[in-house]
Amino acid sequence: MKFNILGAVIGTAAVAGAASVIAARKLFDMTIPRQDGVKVDISEMADMDRWEEYKKIIAPRGEWVRSQELEEIYIQARDGIKLHAWYLPAEKSNGRFAVIAHGYTSKGIDSAAHAYFFHNQGFDVVMPDHRAHGDSEGDYIGFGILDRFDCLSWIEYILKRFGEDTRILLHGTSMGATTVLMASGLSNFPDNVKCIISDCAFTSPYDVFSHILKRDYHIPEFPVMNINSAMCRKKAGYAFNDYSTITAMKRAKCPVLFIHGESDNFVPTRMVYENYEACTAPKEILVVENAGHGASAYENTELYENTEKSFIEKWIPENND
């Protein structure tokens, strides 16, 4: 998932004031406004041979989910925009819901492989489109900082529609994982959320953008990130360091399963350890060997899903005795 944003624009002049402003504006324009399509560099996940193997898992599960009678749901976010989700009912509902949060420039239905797993575990499944993604409204992507409030809105919707005794699991990948972790730090985060599965979350948009600047363009974060963050606050209503998963985890009460790929070069694997160490709630961690960004579920599906099943049985079992 590589942002092709800066190289030709600034070169070695990145330290100059004018070039830094240009670079910051380019970074903002290529990442924060609603994007036309998925920006995924498959090499961030794995080489092409490995990706072909992943598709053997992803494709049939996705096709099955898309073939079901899915219900479209719309709610209103706290700032008035309309948010969209797909709802996949359980064959026999037992009051357990899985809310699945997707990654950057993806959309809810793209999480169908995860939805398939949770449906088979007996969960009702809700797959929201993040703001400025899919069929949700919004001009600017929230990178978890805005989306944490939208996540809370989806939880509130589920409780209002399906009952206050509903039990909820949150699952997120990448930006979606960052979103659900950040949401759990809110003071009014409901006790109905029994556990969270966080797959390759970054600690903050500031941290992950700074990493990409250094890794791909050999550019220090200052002053480009400071300028870009100020632009984001003015246009999108938030700055990149307004909130972090670290802050949220220091307030956490909801159990968390942290998952990350050992070979993740987009969101550095160190971030899962930072999140894990900060977490004050019951916690577990799984780092999957040879897995790139967002690829843990497909690099070692048996390990990934068995770990999820064990975590589910501990915190949100089918029978709520």
Side-chain angles (χ1 to χ4, degrees), residues 45 51 63 68 74-75 85 100 103 116 190-191 195 198 205 213 215 219 224 235 238 289 321:
M45 297 181 65
W51 179 245
E63 290 170 5
Q68 303 307 298
Y74 290 92
I75 65 171
I100 304 177
Y116 177 90
D191 292 337
C195 57
S198 166
L213 283 177
R215 186 195 70 172
I219 298 169
V224 173
K235 294 186 176 183
Y238 70 96
E289 292 183 5
D321 296 328

PDB file of all heavy atoms in Angstrom, residues 45 51 63 68 74-75 85 100 103 116 190-191 195 198 205 213 215 219 224 235 238 289 321:
ATOM      1  N   MET A  45       1.962  -6.734   0.707  1.00  0.00           N
ATOM      2  CA  MET A  45       1.382  -7.896   1.361  1.00  0.00           C
ATOM      3  C   MET A  45       2.265  -9.131   1.189  1.00  0.00           C
ATOM      4  O   MET A  45       2.548  -9.841   2.140  1.00  0.00           O
ATOM      5  CB  MET A  45      -0.018  -8.169   0.811  1.00  0.00           C
ATOM      6  CG  MET A  45      -1.009  -7.050   1.061  1.00  0.00           C
ATOM      7  SD  MET A  45      -2.647  -7.417   0.419  1.00  0.00           S
ATOM      8  CE  MET A  45      -3.136  -8.809   1.437  1.00  0.00           C
ATOM      9  N   TRP A  51       0.519 -14.122  -3.246  1.00  0.00           N
ATOM     10  CA  TRP A  51      -0.776 -13.468  -3.403  1.00  0.00           C
ATOM     11  C   TRP A  51      -1.755 -14.347  -4.174  1.00  0.00           C
ATOM     12  O   TRP A  51      -2.948 -14.390  -3.865  1.00  0.00           O
ATOM     13  CB  TRP A  51      -0.596 -12.125  -4.100  1.00  0.00           C
ATOM     14  CG  TRP A  51      -1.870 -11.394  -4.335  1.00  0.00           C
ATOM     15  CD1 TRP A  51      -2.438 -11.083  -5.536  1.00  0.00           C
ATOM     16  CD2 TRP A  51      -2.774 -10.879  -3.345  1.00  0.00           C
ATOM     17  NE1 TRP A  51      -3.624 -10.425  -5.363  1.00  0.00           N
ATOM     18  CE2 TRP A  51      -3.852 -10.288  -4.032  1.00  0.00           C
ATOM     19  CE3 TRP A  51      -2.764 -10.880  -1.954  1.00  0.00           C
ATOM     20  CZ2 TRP A  51      -4.914  -9.683  -3.367  1.00  0.00           C
ATOM     21  CZ3 TRP A  51      -3.841 -10.286  -1.291  1.00  0.00           C
ATOM     22  CH2 TRP A  51      -4.882  -9.694  -1.998  1.00  0.00           C
ATOM     23  N   GLU A  63     -17.115 -14.376  -2.785  1.00  0.00           N
ATOM     24  CA  GLU A  63     -18.229 -14.681  -3.697  1.00  0.00           C
ATOM     25  C   GLU A  63     -19.431 -15.207  -2.931  1.00  0.00           C
ATOM     26  O   GLU A  63     -20.586 -14.857  -3.246  1.00  0.00           O
ATOM     27  CB  GLU A  63     -17.762 -15.703  -4.736  1.00  0.00           C
ATOM     28  CG  GLU A  63     -16.759 -15.142  -5.734  1.00  0.00           C
ATOM     29  CD  GLU A  63     -16.130 -16.221  -6.601  1.00  0.00           C
ATOM     30  OE1 GLU A  63     -16.567 -17.402  -6.475  1.00  0.00           O
ATOM     31  OE2 GLU A  63     -15.213 -15.906  -7.373  1.00  0.00           O
ATOM     32  N   GLN A  68     -25.280 -13.705  -0.927  1.00  0.00           N
ATOM     33  CA  GLN A  68     -26.333 -13.763   0.088  1.00  0.00           C
ATOM     34  C   GLN A  68     -27.261 -12.551  -0.028  1.00  0.00           C
ATOM     35  O   GLN A  68     -26.958 -11.566  -0.706  1.00  0.00           O
ATOM     36  CB  GLN A  68     -25.703 -13.814   1.489  1.00  0.00           C
ATOM     37  CG  GLN A  68     -24.744 -14.963   1.695  1.00  0.00           C
ATOM     38  CD  GLN A  68     -25.344 -16.313   1.345  1.00  0.00           C
ATOM     39  OE1 GLN A  68     -26.325 -16.744   1.948  1.00  0.00           O
ATOM     40  NE2 GLN A  68     -24.760 -16.990   0.354  1.00  0.00           N
ATOM     41  N   TYR A  74     -28.274   2.414   6.465  1.00  0.00           N
ATOM     42  CA  TYR A  74     -27.752   3.783   6.475  1.00  0.00           C
ATOM     43  C   TYR A  74     -28.029   4.405   7.841  1.00  0.00           C
ATOM     44  O   TYR A  74     -29.107   4.234   8.413  1.00  0.00           O
ATOM     45  CB  TYR A  74     -28.425   4.637   5.398  1.00  0.00           C
ATOM     46  CG  TYR A  74     -28.033   4.271   3.995  1.00  0.00           C
ATOM     47  CD1 TYR A  74     -28.788   3.346   3.259  1.00  0.00           C
ATOM     48  CD2 TYR A  74     -26.916   4.839   3.379  1.00  0.00           C
ATOM     49  CE1 TYR A  74     -28.440   3.005   1.963  1.00  0.00           C
ATOM     50  CE2 TYR A  74     -26.562   4.505   2.080  1.00  0.00           C
ATOM     51  CZ  TYR A  74     -27.324   3.591   1.383  1.00  0.00           C
ATOM     52  OH  TYR A  74     -26.971   3.255   0.092  1.00  0.00           O
ATOM     53  N   ILE A  75     -27.017   5.096   8.365  1.00  0.00           N
ATOM     54  CA  ILE A  75     -27.193   5.865   9.585  1.00  0.00           C
ATOM     55  C   ILE A  75     -26.578   7.243   9.381  1.00  0.00           C
ATOM     56  O   ILE A  75     -25.895   7.488   8.383  1.00  0.00           O
ATOM     57  CB  ILE A  75     -26.542   5.176  10.807  1.00  0.00           C
ATOM     58  CG1 ILE A  75     -25.014   5.108  10.644  1.00  0.00           C
ATOM     59  CG2 ILE A  75     -27.135   3.796  11.044  1.00  0.00           C
ATOM     60  CD1 ILE A  75     -24.295   4.635  11.901  1.00  0.00           C
ATOM     61  N   ALA A  85     -23.622   0.664   5.374  1.00  0.00           N
ATOM     62  CA  ALA A  85     -23.059  -0.639   5.738  1.00  0.00           C
ATOM     63  C   ALA A  85     -23.876  -1.746   5.089  1.00  0.00           C
ATOM     64  O   ALA A  85     -25.039  -1.550   4.693  1.00  0.00           O
ATOM     65  CB  ALA A  85     -23.039  -0.835   7.248  1.00  0.00           C
ATOM     66  N   ILE A 100     -17.135  -5.309  11.282  1.00  0.00           N
ATOM     67  CA  ILE A 100     -15.852  -5.478  10.613  1.00  0.00           C
ATOM     68  C   ILE A 100     -15.452  -4.165   9.946  1.00  0.00           C
ATOM     69  O   ILE A 100     -16.155  -3.665   9.065  1.00  0.00           O
ATOM     70  CB  ILE A 100     -15.909  -6.612   9.581  1.00  0.00           C
ATOM     71  CG1 ILE A 100     -16.373  -7.902  10.263  1.00  0.00           C
ATOM     72  CG2 ILE A 100     -14.550  -6.809   8.932  1.00  0.00           C
ATOM     73  CD1 ILE A 100     -16.526  -9.070   9.320  1.00  0.00           C
ATOM     74  N   GLY A 103      -9.880  -1.460   5.623  1.00  0.00           N
ATOM     75  CA  GLY A 103      -8.697  -0.627   5.535  1.00  0.00           C
ATOM     76  C   GLY A 103      -8.842   0.556   4.594  1.00  0.00           C
ATOM     77  O   GLY A 103      -9.889   0.773   3.979  1.00  0.00           O
ATOM     78  N   TYR A 116     -17.248 -13.911   6.238  1.00  0.00           N
ATOM     79  CA  TYR A 116     -17.524 -15.339   6.056  1.00  0.00           C
ATOM     80  C   TYR A 116     -17.150 -16.120   7.313  1.00  0.00           C
ATOM     81  O   TYR A 116     -17.914 -16.966   7.793  1.00  0.00           O
ATOM     82  CB  TYR A 116     -16.742 -15.837   4.851  1.00  0.00           C
ATOM     83  CG  TYR A 116     -16.855 -17.314   4.563  1.00  0.00           C
ATOM     84  CD1 TYR A 116     -17.859 -17.808   3.726  1.00  0.00           C
ATOM     85  CD2 TYR A 116     -15.948 -18.227   5.102  1.00  0.00           C
ATOM     86  CE1 TYR A 116     -17.962 -19.158   3.439  1.00  0.00           C
ATOM     87  CE2 TYR A 116     -16.038 -19.584   4.833  1.00  0.00           C
ATOM     88  CZ  TYR A 116     -17.044 -20.048   4.005  1.00  0.00           C
ATOM     89  OH  TYR A 116     -17.141 -21.383   3.728  1.00  0.00           O
ATOM     90  N   PRO A 190     -19.486   1.447  24.890  1.00  0.00           N
ATOM     91  CA  PRO A 190     -20.439   0.584  25.598  1.00  0.00           C
ATOM     92  C   PRO A 190     -19.831  -0.724  26.105  1.00  0.00           C
ATOM     93  O   PRO A 190     -18.962  -1.317  25.455  1.00  0.00           O
ATOM     94  CB  PRO A 190     -21.513   0.289  24.529  1.00  0.00           C
ATOM     95  CG  PRO A 190     -21.332   1.344  23.495  1.00  0.00           C
ATOM     96  CD  PRO A 190     -19.866   1.654  23.480  1.00  0.00           C
ATOM     97  N   ASP A 191     -20.319  -1.184  27.220  1.00  0.00           N
ATOM     98  CA  ASP A 191     -19.902  -2.467  27.775  1.00  0.00           C
ATOM     99  C   ASP A 191     -20.373  -3.634  26.911  1.00  0.00           C
ATOM    100  O   ASP A 191     -19.887  -4.761  27.077  1.00  0.00           O
ATOM    101  CB  ASP A 191     -20.448  -2.644  29.195  1.00  0.00           C
ATOM    102  CG  ASP A 191     -19.808  -1.686  30.184  1.00  0.00           C
ATOM    103  OD1 ASP A 191     -18.687  -1.210  29.909  1.00  0.00           O
ATOM    104  OD2 ASP A 191     -20.437  -1.412  31.227  1.00  0.00           O
ATOM    105  N   CYS A 195     -15.200  -7.687  23.064  1.00  0.00           N
ATOM    106  CA  CYS A 195     -13.800  -7.889  22.700  1.00  0.00           C
ATOM    107  C   CYS A 195     -13.508  -7.270  21.341  1.00  0.00           C
ATOM    108  O   CYS A 195     -14.421  -6.960  20.571  1.00  0.00           O
ATOM    109  CB  CYS A 195     -13.435  -9.370  22.697  1.00  0.00           C
ATOM    110  SG  CYS A 195     -14.440 -10.394  21.607  1.00  0.00           S
ATOM    111  N   SER A 198      -7.730  -6.741  16.550  1.00  0.00           N
ATOM    112  CA  SER A 198      -7.038  -5.677  15.827  1.00  0.00           C
ATOM    113  C   SER A 198      -5.935  -6.281  14.963  1.00  0.00           C
ATOM    114  O   SER A 198      -4.960  -6.823  15.488  1.00  0.00           O
ATOM    115  CB  SER A 198      -6.435  -4.675  16.822  1.00  0.00           C
ATOM    116  OG  SER A 198      -5.502  -3.828  16.188  1.00  0.00           O
ATOM    117  N   PRO A 205      -2.070   8.229  12.508  1.00  0.00           N
ATOM    118  CA  PRO A 205      -1.754   8.617  11.125  1.00  0.00           C
ATOM    119  C   PRO A 205      -0.431   9.362  11.031  1.00  0.00           C
ATOM    120  O   PRO A 205       0.302   9.202  10.062  1.00  0.00           O
ATOM    121  CB  PRO A 205      -2.944   9.487  10.710  1.00  0.00           C
ATOM    122  CG  PRO A 205      -3.687   9.801  11.949  1.00  0.00           C
ATOM    123  CD  PRO A 205      -3.384   8.720  12.920  1.00  0.00           C
ATOM    124  N   LEU A 213       7.270   8.370   4.665  1.00  0.00           N
ATOM    125  CA  LEU A 213       8.158   9.427   4.174  1.00  0.00           C
ATOM    126  C   LEU A 213       9.623   8.997   4.275  1.00  0.00           C
ATOM    127  O   LEU A 213      10.412   9.193   3.342  1.00  0.00           O
ATOM    128  CB  LEU A 213       7.944  10.714   4.975  1.00  0.00           C
ATOM    129  CG  LEU A 213       6.719  11.555   4.652  1.00  0.00           C
ATOM    130  CD1 LEU A 213       6.645  12.742   5.611  1.00  0.00           C
ATOM    131  CD2 LEU A 213       6.742  12.042   3.220  1.00  0.00           C
ATOM    132  N   ARG A 215      10.817   5.836   4.754  1.00  0.00           N
ATOM    133  CA  ARG A 215      11.118   4.590   4.081  1.00  0.00           C
ATOM    134  C   ARG A 215      11.219   4.734   2.562  1.00  0.00           C
ATOM    135  O   ARG A 215      12.157   4.239   1.935  1.00  0.00           O
ATOM    136  CB  ARG A 215      10.034   3.547   4.402  1.00  0.00           C
ATOM    137  CG  ARG A 215      10.335   2.164   3.864  1.00  0.00           C
ATOM    138  CD  ARG A 215       9.111   1.268   3.879  1.00  0.00           C
ATOM    139  NE  ARG A 215       8.123   1.678   2.880  1.00  0.00           N
ATOM    140  CZ  ARG A 215       7.038   0.972   2.588  1.00  0.00           C
ATOM    141  NH1 ARG A 215       6.794  -0.160   3.234  1.00  0.00           N
ATOM    142  NH2 ARG A 215       6.178   1.391   1.681  1.00  0.00           N
ATOM    143  N   ILE A 219      12.824  11.191   3.530  1.00  0.00           N
ATOM    144  CA  ILE A 219      12.493  12.552   3.928  1.00  0.00           C
ATOM    145  C   ILE A 219      12.174  12.563   5.423  1.00  0.00           C
ATOM    146  O   ILE A 219      11.346  11.778   5.889  1.00  0.00           O
ATOM    147  CB  ILE A 219      11.277  13.078   3.140  1.00  0.00           C
ATOM    148  CG1 ILE A 219      11.598  13.131   1.653  1.00  0.00           C
ATOM    149  CG2 ILE A 219      10.846  14.448   3.644  1.00  0.00           C
ATOM    150  CD1 ILE A 219      10.381  13.377   0.794  1.00  0.00           C
ATOM    151  N   VAL A 224       7.580  18.590   6.824  1.00  0.00           N
ATOM    152  CA  VAL A 224       6.492  18.180   5.930  1.00  0.00           C
ATOM    153  C   VAL A 224       5.271  17.715   6.714  1.00  0.00           C
ATOM    154  O   VAL A 224       4.136  18.115   6.430  1.00  0.00           O
ATOM    155  CB  VAL A 224       6.967  17.076   4.964  1.00  0.00           C
ATOM    156  CG1 VAL A 224       5.793  16.532   4.154  1.00  0.00           C
ATOM    157  CG2 VAL A 224       8.038  17.619   4.023  1.00  0.00           C
ATOM    158  N   LYS A 235      -8.819  21.604   6.570  1.00  0.00           N
ATOM    159  CA  LYS A 235      -9.751  21.106   5.560  1.00  0.00           C
ATOM    160  C   LYS A 235     -10.627  19.955   6.057  1.00  0.00           C
ATOM    161  O   LYS A 235     -11.818  19.898   5.742  1.00  0.00           O
ATOM    162  CB  LYS A 235      -8.975  20.666   4.319  1.00  0.00           C
ATOM    163  CG  LYS A 235      -8.279  21.808   3.599  1.00  0.00           C
ATOM    164  CD  LYS A 235      -7.660  21.325   2.291  1.00  0.00           C
ATOM    165  CE  LYS A 235      -7.041  22.477   1.519  1.00  0.00           C
ATOM    166  NZ  LYS A 235      -6.497  22.050   0.208  1.00  0.00           N
ATOM    167  N   TYR A 238      -9.298  17.640  11.481  1.00  0.00           N
ATOM    168  CA  TYR A 238      -8.480  16.956  12.482  1.00  0.00           C
ATOM    169  C   TYR A 238      -7.021  17.037  12.066  1.00  0.00           C
ATOM    170  O   TYR A 238      -6.692  17.220  10.892  1.00  0.00           O
ATOM    171  CB  TYR A 238      -8.883  15.494  12.631  1.00  0.00           C
ATOM    172  CG  TYR A 238      -8.536  14.603  11.454  1.00  0.00           C
ATOM    173  CD1 TYR A 238      -7.360  13.837  11.456  1.00  0.00           C
ATOM    174  CD2 TYR A 238      -9.368  14.510  10.335  1.00  0.00           C
ATOM    175  CE1 TYR A 238      -7.031  13.021  10.389  1.00  0.00           C
ATOM    176  CE2 TYR A 238      -9.049  13.698   9.266  1.00  0.00           C
ATOM    177  CZ  TYR A 238      -7.881  12.955   9.293  1.00  0.00           C
ATOM    178  OH  TYR A 238      -7.554  12.149   8.229  1.00  0.00           O
ATOM    179  N   GLU A 289       4.449 -15.242  11.166  1.00  0.00           N
ATOM    180  CA  GLU A 289       5.679 -15.294  10.380  1.00  0.00           C
ATOM    181  C   GLU A 289       5.390 -15.165   8.886  1.00  0.00           C
ATOM    182  O   GLU A 289       4.405 -15.703   8.372  1.00  0.00           O
ATOM    183  CB  GLU A 289       6.410 -16.617  10.633  1.00  0.00           C
ATOM    184  CG  GLU A 289       6.970 -16.766  12.030  1.00  0.00           C
ATOM    185  CD  GLU A 289       7.752 -18.056  12.193  1.00  0.00           C
ATOM    186  OE1 GLU A 289       7.927 -18.777  11.195  1.00  0.00           O
ATOM    187  OE2 GLU A 289       8.174 -18.340  13.331  1.00  0.00           O
ATOM    188  N   ASP A 321     -23.764 -17.666  29.332  1.00  0.00           N
ATOM    189  CA  ASP A 321     -24.189 -18.153  30.651  1.00  0.00           C
ATOM    190  C   ASP A 321     -23.428 -17.451  31.758  1.00  0.00           C
ATOM    191  O   ASP A 321     -22.275 -17.084  31.585  1.00  0.00           O
ATOM    192  CB  ASP A 321     -23.960 -19.663  30.743  1.00  0.00           C
ATOM    193  CG  ASP A 321     -24.816 -20.420  29.750  1.00  0.00           C
ATOM    194  OD1 ASP A 321     -25.932 -19.948  29.450  1.00  0.00           O
ATOM    195  OD2 ASP A 321     -24.352 -21.471  29.264  1.00  0.00           O
TER     196      ASP A 321
END
